[in-house]
Amino acid sequence: MKGFWRDAVEFFPILMNGVALTIVVTVGSLLLSTVLGLVWAMMRVSGIKALSMLSASLINVIRGIPIIVLLFYLYFVMPDLGVTLSALQAAILGLGIAYSAYQAENFRAGIEAIDKGQIEAAQSIGMGWWLTMRRVVLPQAVRIVLPPYGNVMIMMLKDSSQASTITVAELALQGKLIASSTFKNTSVFTLVALMYLTMSIPLILLVRHFEKRAGKR
Amino acid sequence: MIELNDVHKSFGKVEVLKGINASVQKGEVVCIIGPSGSGKSTILRCINGLESYDRGEISVEGLKVDRDAPSIVNIRTQVSMVFQRFNLFPHRTALENVVEGPLYVKKESRAAALERGRTLLAQVGLAEKADAHPPQLSGGQQQRVAIARALAMQPKAILFDEPTSALDPELVGDVLGVMRKLADDGMTMVVVTHEMGFARDVADRVLFIDGGVIVEQGLAKALLNQPQHPRTQDFLRRVLHPL
């Protein structure tokens, strides 16, 4: 135990560099997946067949490819096509695209859960599609969507570790590098696990808060 | 101002409207009565384009109703709708519900819209509920807010789709009172209803619809007191003397 604390003090600063990158990757891909997910969901519920079918196939293609393969594709294959991305860019882009499919399905479920009478009421006062979405449907869908959205945040935090496979030195990779050079596997990976857990707990509490609020109505 | 000319409408294989011909003059109150599933609500929903129709033509002030044409927005701002289940926006206060259309569809100034919104809420007897959210209001209060929301568009006509059917019996009177006042003020109204008392006292004309056709129509008192068609007679007997 004493050894663990000594190791912890020694490795903590290096691991914190990893934490910083983990947060950058998570936040970056969360934002990207949210925007893309909203776009896919809007296309899906637009009522325009071509858009809705395009979005449905996109979502299925994205869902059908493992995140790690998507990352390899962006980082190793794109340069052959003339697009060179830094490891960090590829990680954010890859995770963002991968998770946009889940976000889209979540958003769509939230939008479709809104009572049809709400949409008719909006139409009956002359609102068009976009105004109905913006003023009536989306504000109500947010309440429904937030709890699962919080869960996606937790999953993305953990899945940001997959960026290690394309050399982004986030928390998991920092841990692996320290472990392989010091052989202090137990200390290092316990520390890494605890640090992920520490970052997850505020998110878990946030989800609980969202769920309570959604249950109120 | 509202004309229906040989309007047909099917849901899948079921033909719910089989050639409806009717017209509503400016300032007129027309009640549509008839058994459930006879197509009453569908007529209203076709007039402001919530439903499409298959054949015939509906026009409002000479403008053809086509739910896929841009002109539908114009029609909807002239012909408001009040729903059976109120359909207020639950995430907005009573006053916000009322001014939503004026602010975001008609782009009126905030101050003017809010002022008229408060006046309208007072007019339906809910001045003190301006900041309440719909779930905090009773059904009757919600429906009166919905009427204020319809009025806020300054429509030329209002369509009421069974406005009291979802209300507890003791709350029906408040809503009917507001509607009667509107009728007295000369508002053009088309009301689908089961309230025969309201139809008799307030309506100018009554249409009796059954099986997707207008079986009988006429002046309200005459039709309700001396129905000519056997189906009208049968329907009215069942509604007025259910036991």
Side-chain angles (χ1 to χ4, degrees):
Chain A
M1 197 60 195
K2 227 177 171 181
F4 174 74
W5 288 116
R6 210 176 40 237
D7 291 344
V9 170
E10 187 185 344
F11 301 143
F12 189 77
I14 311 172
L15 289 176
M16 278 311 279
N17 293 335
V19 167
L21 262 180
T22 290
I23 291 172
V24 170
V25 171
T26 306
V27 172
S29 51
L30 182 70
L31 291 178
L32 182 63
S33 69
T34 304
V35 173
L36 287 180
L38 258 177
V39 173
W40 306 153
M42 289 301 197
M43 285 164 68
R44 200 72 201 276
V45 301
S46 64
I48 300 167
K49 237 196 180 129
L51 283 184
S52 133
M53 271 171 59
L54 176 66
S55 153
S57 357
L58 262 172
I59 289 170
N60 281 332
V61 168
I62 296 170
R63 268 202 298 208
I65 300 174
I67 294 177
I68 203 168
V69 176
L70 206 59
L71 292 176
F72 287 165
Y73 216 89
L74 286 169
Y75 192 55
F76 298 120
V77 180
M78 291 308 270
D80 290 350
L81 306 173
V83 183
T84 311
L85 299 167
S86 74
L88 184 61
Q89 287 168 341
I92 290 175
L93 201 59
L95 282 162
I97 291 172
Y99 268 93
S100 71
Y102 303 106
Q103 300 276 35
E105 290 296 277
N106 178 22
F107 295 155
R108 181 171 71 100
I111 291 169
E112 286 179 350
I114 303 303
D115 181 24
K116 254 192 84 196
Q118 290 289 307
I119 295 161
E120 292 185 346
Q123 288 178 339
S124 78
I125 54 173
M127 288 190 172
W129 186 85
W130 175 239
L131 202 55
T132 302
M133 275 290 155
R134 188 165 68 82
R135 296 289 306 170
V136 177
V137 176
L138 292 181
Q140 294 186 68
V142 165
R143 279 174 171 280
I144 300 168
V145 161
L146 273 182
Y149 186 80
N151 281 322
V152 167
M153 284 165 73
I154 297 169
M155 279 158 61
M156 291 188 80
L157 171 69
K158 294 184 294 176
D159 270 345
S160 68
S161 58
Q162 301 211 43
S164 63
T165 58
I166 54 168
T167 76
V168 176
E170 43 66 70
L171 183 52
L173 184 55
Q174 287 288 11
K176 195 175 150 222
L177 292 174
I178 300 171
S180 58
S181 60
T182 62
F183 299 106
K184 289 181 171 161
N185 288 307
T186 313
S187 299
V188 171
F189 287 120
T190 306
L191 211 51
V192 167
L194 285 174
M195 289 171 102
Y196 272 114
L197 192 60
T198 310
M199 287 189 278
S200 299
I201 284 169
L203 296 178
I204 291 168
L205 293 176
L206 190 67
V207 172
R208 196 149 63 168
H209 171 73
F210 287 155
E211 279 170 348
K212 258 195 213 143
R213 238 186 43 170
K216 262 189 195 156
R217 275 271 158 92
Chain B
M1 74 174 285
I2 301 172
E3 304 280 342
L4 291 93
N5 202 340
D6 193 30
V7 174
H8 290 253
K9 162 81 183 169
S10 300
F11 289 112
K13 282 185 185 143
V14 186
E15 194 175 23
V16 286
L17 300 182
K18 302 172 184 167
I20 299 288
N21 291 290
S23 68
V24 179
Q25 308 305 317
K26 193 170 183 310
E28 209 179 16
V29 177
V30 174
C31 279
I32 304 179
I33 62 171
S36 302
S38 56
K40 308 184 297 285
S41 295
T42 308
I43 294 178
L44 285 197
R45 295 165 58 81
C46 285
I47 293 176
N48 77 342
L50 287 179
E51 254 359 304
S52 60
Y53 49 97
D54 305 329
R55 222 147 36 87
E57 185 169 309
I58 302 176
S59 64
V60 173
E61 298 251 76
L63 197 59
K64 182 176 189 260
V65 178
D66 175 357
R67 74 193 300 257
D68 298 318
S71 62
I72 194 67
V73 172
N74 190 358
I75 288 170
R76 283 173 178 157
T77 54
Q78 294 183 44
V79 182
S80 293
M81 179 118 173
V82 172
F83 298 88
Q84 181 177 357
R85 283 171 51 246
F86 331 132
N87 296 349
L88 291 180
F89 306 131
H91 56 303
R92 308 206 184 280
T93 64
L95 183 60
E96 285 169 346
N97 265 280
V98 174
V99 299
E100 185 74 16
L103 279 183
Y104 292 93
V105 177
K106 295 181 109 181
K107 310 245 192 284
E108 290 175 18
S109 82
R110 181 162 280 273
L114 284 175
E115 194 191 321
R116 206 175 67 247
R118 286 187 194 283
T119 310
L120 286 169
L121 280 177
Q123 198 181 320
V124 299
L126 292 171
E128 76 286 5
K129 298 288 186 189
D131 297 321
H133 279 84
Q136 300 164 319
L137 300 174
S138 74
Q141 291 171 333
Q142 289 191 49
Q143 193 61 299
R144 283 183 281 152
V145 174
I147 293 173
R149 176 173 70 180
L151 286 170
M153 298 304 288
Q154 300 181 304
K156 294 183 176 150
I158 303 184
L159 312 174
F160 293 83
D161 188 5
E162 302 199 27
T164 58
S165 296
L167 297 178
D168 291 335
E170 77 269 23
L171 303 176
V172 169
D174 292 343
V175 172
L176 291 182
V178 168
M179 290 168 62
R180 176 193 284 265
K181 218 163 62 186
L182 282 181
D184 291 345
D185 293 345
M187 175 59 76
T188 309
M189 296 162 62
V190 184
V191 187
V192 170
T193 187
H194 292 291
E195 298 290 337
M196 296 306 148
F198 177 84
R200 183 181 298 127
D201 296 347
V202 181
D204 298 304
R205 279 191 303 128
V206 170
L207 311 183
F208 172 67
I209 297 199
D210 191 12
V213 292
I214 298 176
V215 175
E216 186 172 349
Q217 59 175 306
L219 296 177
K221 285 192 179 64
L223 188 141
L224 292 168
N225 293 334
Q226 287 110 31
Q228 300 301 309
H229 199 285
R231 263 148 80 192
T232 320
Q233 291 165 358
D234 186 50
F235 172 78
L236 286 173
R237 195 170 54 240
R238 284 164 196 270
V239 172
L240 298 173
H241 308 290
L243 290 179

